[in-house]
């Protein structure tokens, strides 16, 4: 186990370096230098100031040197400086991260819970009405664009029924106590988490159903029944427990895409997070922040994979003895 | 007193897209208390289907019991509700399946799975159940049993796992043990050990046992009586000595010819029965063995032979059963 | 041998047709393609032209069967032309992704060793980076034009194909027929392209059909975020434009979203059908 953690750490580092190299190359391909974009925004034309800025950002050096300097600084938690917000990129990202994590984790929670329940029900009632209903719902939610689903939920629950807020993370201009604040945030969280969660729930439903059906056909299920266990106990304690393994794998694979999905959903619900930051930075070609977000997403995915490894280690004894 | 197990005219149908197929056709057998019955036939004959029917574990759909009765000490298991049947499984009837490596859940320890089986029927706390699990592992001669309780199935060999499966099957002291090809998936050397173990347990606990196999050599070793099954029907039944000395069905003769005789050093050529068991969809109108039978004549193709009483406890379903006495065993099926 | 191609094709069609969902998907896609092709004849040449007063509700004016949007453009025209954009981007991006993925996966499996290590690492790298972020960045850097968007989607979608191809090639690599070709002195390229690829391709085709659907979703998201090509009609952009009017005219958002959902749904159903038809061993699940 220790060895696999060390291996993972090594992977995380190589992954971050890979992300940096990839994005540096991408940005080098951009028409116009970083300086042009920066200066056009702040309308600096004085050649001396330009030269000073060029030196300050290290743009007078070769791309390779820039790359090495940046890579080194990333490992000292320095992601550069954003001229747009006038703040270190690391601080800007860290300020936005919690709300994005909240949205991501809630969506994943919704997705995994719904997906597992629906998948188990569909597999138990295979080819019966409930299976058909669940599978159809999964097919639809898998094909619906998340941002569109979000807008439809807003139209129905926020505009027509006026049950939930249209967007944002808190009610502006209202003062709540601590409990009231939490409830307020939760009320704002429901629709975005559902929009994102239902898409992934559709995926987990399909995987869980297939996985359950596969395990149902294994011999030990028959043995468990032959012991005299009830059907419910066999399904929960034996089939479900084994069917969980592919779902956990998928969970690790998908964390990166969930982060991507929250970018779009944040735009729909004006959720103040990494997504809004990223969109703004891409539009304004604020590359230090863009690069920073990529590094961050690599770290998030790497940590998620580590957690999945640990979960797998707990769930599957066959891995443990290897 | 009623027999321990009596299967009476059992019929199992498979409801498939291509129509209703009869898998087991008016099949009967009896097992007395403390007796071992050998159930023999090639694969596809309906042996495993019969064992699943007894356990109430037929895959429904497509399979369904459409006729007959399965009486356990006079109580018809086919009429029991699902929850009543649950109380029978493991407690009154235990079963051992073919492949020990896949019969155990890979994510739980051997001890957990044993404890689960025990606590399913006995009101014991975890500690007492664990103690009993340990005793059971000792009983099936697993060395270093205390340590093995915490082992996962993949950490044990096939033979060890089969011992665990046996321990699980006898955990609640069932009256009837069904061993469904318990040695087929094992190495030859391990096979003999497992059979010895089963014989020992059966002798000590006076359980009734149904020993299912396609290997007549094993049957000679364990069984008191033998039922030969072919294409979902009974072909012949007899006490074990009688069956080997005086087989009356050409299929039985074929099987005996195809069995290496214990202690036979000359290892003379095994006589295989040519052909295979007809598939469910292509069962003929007459005798199901007709297409492979060396003694076949016209009547066999139009009419299915009924069981004919031969002697005390000996019956065979063949038109020529009465004339079979002087026929040389080895010549049949050659 | 001469009889094989037609009968194999017939068998493929029969298996595909047995999956009712797949047939439905194929029908939907054919209708969408027909709409896309017929667009210039059905309605005027420029779907982005203002033709009426804004916010005409659907089914109220026969000239604008699906109504008009916030500035008075014909929604039906935008849907029809949007179908061209959507299908074009979906198909070309999926083809790009498949081409990249097959080459990388095949090379990794065939050469093995450090080449495999490096290529697998690169594949993992692309799999870790959230697709939408990468697409956004590439589009922002290269410019908001339809071909750039297509390329951007194509170069982010290939890792799945690469992994699948690699796995297929690895199992096929040591089969007798490949060893036979090697012993006959065939070149690497010829064995890979002529002998292994045809055997490895069926699952790749299934995945590619699903990638068309995902590409369509990504295109619509990019357009929705305002990073699309402003000069072509796009379903995603239409949803983005309609967002401000959800209180009064929510149909502007609803209609293009339904179009996206139906098209992606159809592609996924076709993927299921192809899976049934091309991988018979996986059927009956």
């Amino acid at each position: 186990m220790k060895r696999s953690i060390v291996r993972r750490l090594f992977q995380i580092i190589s992954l971050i370096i890979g992300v940096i190299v990839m994005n540096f190359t991408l940005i080098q391909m951009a028409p116009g230098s970083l300086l042009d974009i920066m200066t056009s925004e702040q309308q600096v034309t004085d050649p001396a100031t330009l030269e000073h800025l060029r030196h300050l950002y290290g743009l007078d050096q070769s791309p390779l040197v820039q790359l090495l300097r940046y890579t080194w600084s990333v490992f000292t938690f320095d992601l550069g400086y954003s001229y747009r917000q006038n703040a270190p990129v690391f601080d800007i990202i860290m300020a936005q991260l919690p709300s994005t994590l909240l949205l991501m984790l809630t969506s994943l929670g919704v997705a995994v819970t719904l997906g597992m329940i629906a998948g188990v029900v569909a597999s138990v009632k295979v080819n019966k009405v409930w299976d058909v209903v669940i599978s159809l719902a999964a097919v639809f939610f898998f094909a619906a664009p998340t941002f569109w689903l979000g807008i439809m939920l807003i139209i129905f629950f926020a505009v027509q029924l006026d049950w939930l807020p249209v967007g944002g993370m808190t009610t502006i201009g209202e003062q709540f106590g601590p409990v009231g604040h939490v409830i307020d945030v939760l009320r704002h969280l429901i629709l975005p988490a559902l929009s994102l969660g239902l898409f992934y729930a559709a995926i987990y439903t399909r995987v869980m159903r297939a996985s359950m059906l596969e395990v149902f056909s294994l011999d030990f299920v028959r043995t468990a029944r032959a012991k005299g266990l009830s059907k419910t106990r066999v399904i929960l304690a034996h089939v479900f427990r084994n069917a969980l393994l592919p779902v956990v794998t998928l969970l690790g694979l998908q964390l990166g895409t969930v982060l991507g999905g929250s970018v779009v959903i944040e735009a729909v619900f004006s959720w103040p997070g990494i997504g809004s930051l990223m969109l703004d930075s891409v539009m304004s070609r604020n590359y230090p922040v863009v690069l920073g977000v990529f590094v961050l997403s690599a770290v998030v995915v790497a940590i998620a994979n580590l957690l999945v490894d640990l979960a797998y280690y707990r769930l599957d004894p066959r891995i443990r003895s290897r | 007193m009623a027999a321990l197990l009596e299967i009476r005219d059992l019929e199992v149908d498979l409801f498939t897209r291509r129509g209703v197929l009869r898998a087991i056709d008016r099949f009967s057998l009896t097992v007395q208390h403390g007796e071992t019955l050998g159930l023999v036939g090639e694969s596809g004959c309906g042996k495993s289907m019969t064992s699943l029917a007894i356990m109430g574990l037929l895959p429904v759909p497509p399979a369904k019991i459409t006729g007959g009765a399965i009486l356990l000490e006079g109580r018809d298991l086919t009429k029991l509700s699902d929850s009543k049947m649950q109380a029978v499984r493991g407690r009154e009837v235990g079963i051992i399946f073919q492949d020990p490596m896949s019969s155990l859940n890979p994510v739980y320890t051997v001890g957990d799975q044993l404890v689960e089986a025990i606590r399913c029927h006995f009101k014991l706390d975890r500690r007492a159940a664990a103690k009993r699990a340990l005793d059971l592992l000792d009983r099936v001669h697993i060395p270093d049993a205390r340590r093995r309780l915490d082992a996962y199935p993949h950490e044990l060999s096939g033979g060890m796992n089969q011992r665990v499966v046996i321990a699980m099957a006898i955990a609640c002291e069932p009256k009837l043990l069904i061993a469904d090809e318990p040695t087929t998936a094992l190495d030859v050397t391990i096979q003999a050990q497992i059979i010895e173990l089963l014989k020992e347990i059966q002798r000590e606990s006076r359980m009734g046992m149904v020993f299912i196999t396609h290997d007549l050599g094993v049957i000679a070793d364990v069984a008191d009586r033998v039922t030969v099954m072919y294409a979902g029907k009974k072909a012949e039944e007899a006490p074990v000595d009688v069956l080997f000395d005086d087989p009356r069905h050409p299929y039985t003769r074929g099987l005996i010819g195809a069995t290496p005789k214990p202690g036979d050093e000359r290892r003379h050529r095994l006589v295989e029965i040519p052909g295979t068991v007809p598939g469910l969809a292509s069962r003929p109108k007459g005798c199901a063995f007709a297409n492979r039978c060396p003694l076949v004549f016209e009547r066999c193709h139009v009419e299915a032979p009924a069981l004919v009483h031969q002697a005390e406890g000996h019956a065979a379903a063949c038109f020529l059963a009465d004339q079979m006495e002087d026929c040389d065993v080895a010549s049949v099926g050659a | 041998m001469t009889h094989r191609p037609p009968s194999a094709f017939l068998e493929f069609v029969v298996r595909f047709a047995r999956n009712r969902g797949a047939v439905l998907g194929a029908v939907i896609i054919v209708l969408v393609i027909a709409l896309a092709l017929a667009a210039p004849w059905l309605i005027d040449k420029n779907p982005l032209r203002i033709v009426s007063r804004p916010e005409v509700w659907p089914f109220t004016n026969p000239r604008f069967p699906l109504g008009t949007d916030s500035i008075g453009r014909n929604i039906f025209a935008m849907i029809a032309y949007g179908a061209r954009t959507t299908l074009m981007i979906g198909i070309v991006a999926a083809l790009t992704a498949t081409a990249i993925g097959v080459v990388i996966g095949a090379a990794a499996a065939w050469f093995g060793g450090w080449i495999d290590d490096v290529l697998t690492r690169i594949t993992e790298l692309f799999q870790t980076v959230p697709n939408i972020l990468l697409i956004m960045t590439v589009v922002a850097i290269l410019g908001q034009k339809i071909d750039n968007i297509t390329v951007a989607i194509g170069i982010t979608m290939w890792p799945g194909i690469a992994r699948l191809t690699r796995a297929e090639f690895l199992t096929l690599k040591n089969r007798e027929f490949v060893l036979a070709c090697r012993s006959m002195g065939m070149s690497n390229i010829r064995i890979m392209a002529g002998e292994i690829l045809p055997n490895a391709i069926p699952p790749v085709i299934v995945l590619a059909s699903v990638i068309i659907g995902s590409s369509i979703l990504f295109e619509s998201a990019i357009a929705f975020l305002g990073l699309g090509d402003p000069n072509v009609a796009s379903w995603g952009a239409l949803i983005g434009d309609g967002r401000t009017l959800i209180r009064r005219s929510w149909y502007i958002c609803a209609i293009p979203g339904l179009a996206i959902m139906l098209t992606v749904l159809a592609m996924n159903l076709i993927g299921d059908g192809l899976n049934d038809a091309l991988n018979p061993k996986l059927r009956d699940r």
Side-chain angles (χ1 to χ4, degrees):
Chain A
M1 188 59 198
K2 272 204 192 96
R3 264 180 60 201
S4 84
I5 290 182
V6 171
R7 217 188 56 222
R8 269 290 179 206
L9 282 176
F10 183 74
Q11 260 181 358
I12 294 174
I13 293 169
S14 64
L15 198 69
I16 291 173
I17 294 176
V19 166
I20 294 171
V21 172
M22 177 169 90
N23 286 284
F24 232 85
T25 322
L26 255 177
I27 290 169
Q28 289 295 327
M29 286 162 59
S33 79
L34 206 56
L35 203 62
D36 295 339
I37 301 157
M38 275 160 53
T39 49
S40 70
E41 182 143 319
Q42 291 166 0
Q43 264 128 45
V44 182
T45 43
D46 172 34
T49 321
L50 274 179
E51 198 47 48
H52 175 71
L53 279 174
R54 197 187 294 276
H55 184 70
L56 189 69
Y57 287 104
L59 296 174
D60 50 353
Q61 272 145 338
S62 71
L64 190 67
V65 174
Q66 288 182 41
L67 174 63
L68 289 175
R69 281 177 67 173
Y70 184 81
T71 312
W72 174 246
S73 63
V74 164
F75 287 100
T76 59
F77 296 97
D78 174 10
L79 297 175
Y81 194 83
S82 166
Y83 52 87
R84 199 171 150 84
Q85 289 95 337
N86 256 323
V89 172
F90 185 78
D91 295 355
I92 299 172
I93 291 178
M94 278 305 152
Q96 305 277 42
L97 188 59
S99 53
T100 293
L101 280 183
L102 176 67
L103 176 58
M104 269 177 70
L105 294 179
T106 316
S107 307
L108 267 182
V110 169
V112 171
T113 317
L114 272 181
M116 279 185 187
I117 295 174
V120 169
V121 171
S123 69
V124 172
K125 305 274 176 204
V126 65
N127 293 335
K128 304 244 174 67
V129 179
W130 274 110
D131 181 27
V132 173
V133 169
I134 288 172
S135 298
L136 269 180
V139 166
F140 273 97
F141 284 120
F142 186 57
T146 52
F147 61 90
W148 177 74
L149 187 64
I151 294 175
M152 292 301 114
L153 290 177
I154 291 177
I155 290 172
F156 195 69
F157 290 103
V159 176
Q160 304 286 339
L161 296 173
D162 200 18
W163 286 355
L164 292 165
V166 173
M169 191 170 161
T170 50
T171 311
I172 296 162
E174 293 269 350
Q175 287 297 322
F176 298 107
V179 178
H181 178 70
V182 170
I183 292 175
D184 188 43
V185 170
L186 285 182
R187 272 168 49 82
H188 283 81
L189 186 59
I190 294 175
L191 290 186
L194 263 187
S195 329
L196 194 55
L198 282 173
F199 175 76
Y200 291 99
I203 299 177
Y204 291 126
T205 303
R206 293 174 69 140
V207 173
M208 192 74 207
R209 178 181 178 273
S211 179
M212 289 284 289
L213 288 179
E214 175 124 14
V215 178
F216 266 125
S217 66
L218 298 180
D219 286 353
F220 67 78
V221 178
R222 205 176 46 185
T223 313
R225 285 285 279 156
K227 284 198 250 184
L229 300 177
S230 71
K231 224 174 202 159
T232 320
R233 178 160 169 109
V234 172
I235 289 168
L236 293 181
H238 288 268
V239 184
F240 178 74
R241 183 68 166 59
N242 278 275
L244 219 50
L245 297 174
V247 177
V248 173
T249 312
L250 191 67
L251 197 67
L253 272 177
Q254 280 188 331
L255 254 133
T257 57
V258 177
L259 180 63
S262 71
V263 168
V264 184
I265 286 300
E266 283 179 18
V268 175
F269 288 90
S270 327
W271 187 266
I274 299 288
S276 317
L277 177 68
M278 181 72 184
L279 192 60
D280 175 70
S281 305
V282 163
M283 294 284 208
S284 61
R285 304 194 167 195
N286 188 353
Y287 293 127
V289 174
V290 172
L291 204 47
V293 171
F294 273 106
V295 172
L296 167 94
S297 68
V299 173
V300 167
V301 170
I303 293 174
N305 278 322
L306 194 62
L307 292 178
V308 164
D309 279 0
L310 287 172
Y312 225 98
Y313 182 79
R314 288 222 29 91
L315 285 173
D316 191 349
R318 284 164 294 188
I319 303 274
R320 249 175 280 170
S321 53
R322 218 172 271 159
Chain B
M1 191 175 162
L4 171 59
L5 176 75
E6 184 183 356
I7 297 181
R8 212 182 272 158
D9 294 333
L10 182 69
E11 287 175 1
V12 175
D13 285 346
L14 295 177
F15 293 80
T16 70
R17 243 179 292 174
R18 276 175 296 171
V20 182
L21 307 173
R22 176 137 300 181
I24 295 178
D25 192 7
R26 294 177 60 83
F27 180 73
S28 305
L29 63 73
T30 39
V31 183
Q32 302 299 335
H33 290 269
E35 176 192 51
T36 298
L37 175 83
L39 183 55
V40 193
E42 291 160 293
S43 44
C45 280
K47 297 168 301 183
S48 292
M49 192 82 87
T50 309
S51 67
L52 289 177
I54 300 169
M55 296 301 287
L57 289 176
L58 282 173
V60 183
K64 192 166 185 277
I65 296 178
T66 46
I70 299 172
L71 305 171
L72 187 71
E73 293 186 320
R75 191 164 43 132
D76 190 352
L77 298 183
T78 64
K79 301 267 191 307
L80 289 188
S81 71
D82 207 50
S83 59
K84 288 250 176 62
M85 196 58 213
Q86 252 168 50
V88 172
R89 283 186 211 119
R91 180 68 187 90
E92 292 179 62
V93 190
I95 188 165
I96 301 159
F97 292 112
Q98 184 173 351
D99 184 1
M101 293 315 256
S102 62
S103 289
L104 293 169
N105 190 330
V107 304
Y108 293 122
T109 62
V110 161
D112 284 345
Q113 296 186 57
L114 272 169
V115 166
E116 187 185 36
I118 294 163
R119 295 187 45 171
C120 179
H121 297 291
F122 294 148
K123 292 232 173 305
L124 289 177
D125 60 27
R126 275 203 73 84
R127 182 185 295 266
K131 172 79 182 65
R132 195 180 160 88
L134 189 63
D135 293 344
L136 281 164
L137 287 191
D138 278 334
R139 179 135 185 241
V140 295
H141 307 309
I142 289 186
D144 202 2
R146 193 170 294 277
R147 208 163 53 85
R148 295 278 194 256
L149 276 180
D150 295 322
Y152 288 94
H154 71 275
E155 295 166 337
L156 301 179
S157 67
M160 279 299 155
N161 273 324
Q162 195 62 308
R163 285 173 194 268
V164 173
V165 172
I166 293 171
M168 221 154 76
I170 60 170
C172 301
E173 294 162 354
K175 299 166 203 155
L176 177 67
L177 183 66
I178 302 171
D180 189 352
E181 307 237 11
T183 59
T184 311
L186 301 174
D187 287 348
V188 184
T189 46
I190 313 290
Q191 285 185 7
Q193 295 174 15
I194 294 293
I195 288 168
E196 258 337 288
L197 175 67
L198 282 171
K199 278 166 71 179
E200 177 192 320
I201 287 171
Q202 193 271 337
R203 207 167 44 233
E204 285 171 4
S205 61
R206 302 301 302 153
M207 282 185 299
M209 180 154 82
V210 178
F211 195 102
I212 301 177
T213 181
H214 60 264
D215 184 353
L216 265 180
V218 174
I219 284 296
D221 194 13
V222 293
D224 302 315
R225 282 189 311 113
V226 185
T227 295
V228 180
M229 198 170 184
Y230 188 80
K233 286 183 179 178
K234 189 190 289 183
E236 182 161 7
E237 109 187 301
V240 67
D241 306 337
V242 177
L243 189 88
F244 280 95
D245 290 344
D246 183 20
R248 294 294 174 98
H249 196 287
Y251 180 58
T252 315
R253 292 183 169 236
L255 284 176
I256 294 172
T259 306
K261 292 198 178 60
D264 189 348
E265 295 303 322
R266 284 170 296 159
R267 289 199 164 269
H268 67 84
R269 185 175 59 95
L270 286 186
V271 194
E272 289 285 338
I273 310 172
T276 51
V277 186
L280 285 181
S282 50
R283 294 265 158 98
K285 187 173 66 167
C287 175
F289 190 59
N291 64 335
R292 301 169 74 187
C293 184
L295 308 174
V296 62
F297 61 112
E298 304 90 71
R299 194 177 164 201
C300 304
H301 290 296
V302 284
E303 188 186 339
L307 270 179
V308 183
H309 182 82
Q310 303 294 315
E312 180 60 34
H314 188 185
C318 179
F319 297 124
L320 301 176
D322 297 331
Q323 306 155 38
M324 209 72 85
E325 271 166 279
D326 28 67
C327 200
D328 176 25
V329 168
S331 72
V332 176
Chain C
M1 271 313 273
T2 47
H3 290 293
R4 220 184 129 254
S7 71
F9 180 72
L10 204 71
E11 201 184 321
F12 165 82
V13 172
V14 168
R15 285 218 195 103
F16 184 87
R18 211 181 285 154
N19 184 329
R20 261 179 272 162
V23 174
L24 177 69
V27 169
I28 296 175
I29 287 296
V30 166
L31 287 178
V32 175
I33 291 176
L35 181 67
L37 290 177
W41 288 276
L42 283 177
I43 31 233
D44 56 301
K45 298 271 188 264
N46 184 3
L48 301 179
R49 204 160 55 93
I50 294 167
V51 291
S52 161
R53 68 183 170 80
E55 296 180 60
V56 173
W57 273 73
F59 316 119
T60 53
N61 183 338
R63 273 184 58 216
F64 315 113
L66 296 178
T68 61
D69 74 350
S70 53
I71 53 174
R73 294 176 297 189
N74 183 352
I75 292 183
F76 180 64
M78 305 224 316
I79 292 287
Y81 277 88
R84 304 185 129 204
T85 318
T86 294
L87 290 177
M88 262 285 289
I89 291 183
I91 291 168
V92 177
L95 282 178
T96 313
T98 308
I100 300 174
V102 164
V103 169
I104 289 186
W110 185 260
F111 295 111
W114 67 269
I115 297 184
D116 186 17
D117 280 345
V118 170
L119 291 178
T120 306
R121 273 293 131 75
I122 293 178
T123 312
E124 272 173 15
L125 176 67
F126 271 83
Q127 219 162 21
T128 333
V129 175
N131 289 349
I132 192 87
L133 294 190
L134 194 56
I135 298 171
M136 279 166 73
T137 313
V138 173
V139 171
I141 287 172
L142 298 182
Q144 292 176 235
K145 283 176 52 199
I146 186 164
D147 33 351
N148 291 340
I149 297 168
T150 313
V151 168
I153 296 175
I155 61 171
T156 57
M157 300 294 280
W158 60 266
I161 299 265
R163 292 180 70 132
L164 186 63
T165 310
R166 179 174 174 274
E168 288 289 318
F169 264 64
L170 277 182
T171 55
L172 290 168
K173 191 175 145 184
N174 296 319
R175 290 276 181 80
E176 291 82 357
F177 72 93
V178 176
L179 297 178
C181 292
R182 269 184 161 168
S183 63
M184 277 157 57
M186 268 197 210
S187 70
N188 279 343
I189 298 285
R190 240 188 101 190
I191 301 178
M192 288 205 292
E195 304 296 327
I196 303 185
L197 192 61
N199 287 292
I201 211 74
V204 173
I205 291 177
V206 173
L207 185 58
S209 71
V210 176
I211 285 184
I212 295 180
S214 314
S215 300
I216 291 173
L217 285 178
F218 278 117
E219 185 275 328
S220 69
I222 286 293
F224 169 77
L225 291 172
L227 284 165
D229 190 333
N231 298 316
V232 294
S234 160
W235 294 345
L238 188 55
I239 299 178
D241 291 344
R243 261 180 78 194
T244 46
L245 293 173
I246 51 172
R247 287 188 189 275
R248 287 202 309 273
S249 306
W250 52 264
Y251 65 90
I252 302 174
C253 281
I255 292 169
L258 284 176
I260 298 171
M261 193 172 86
L262 269 182
T263 313
V264 175
L265 184 83
M267 279 320 304
N268 293 342
L269 290 176
I270 289 175
D272 284 352
L274 286 176
N275 197 27
D276 288 358
L278 293 173
N279 303 340
K281 56 178 182 270
L282 293 176
R283 244 180 331 159
D284 305 327
R285 270 281 159 82

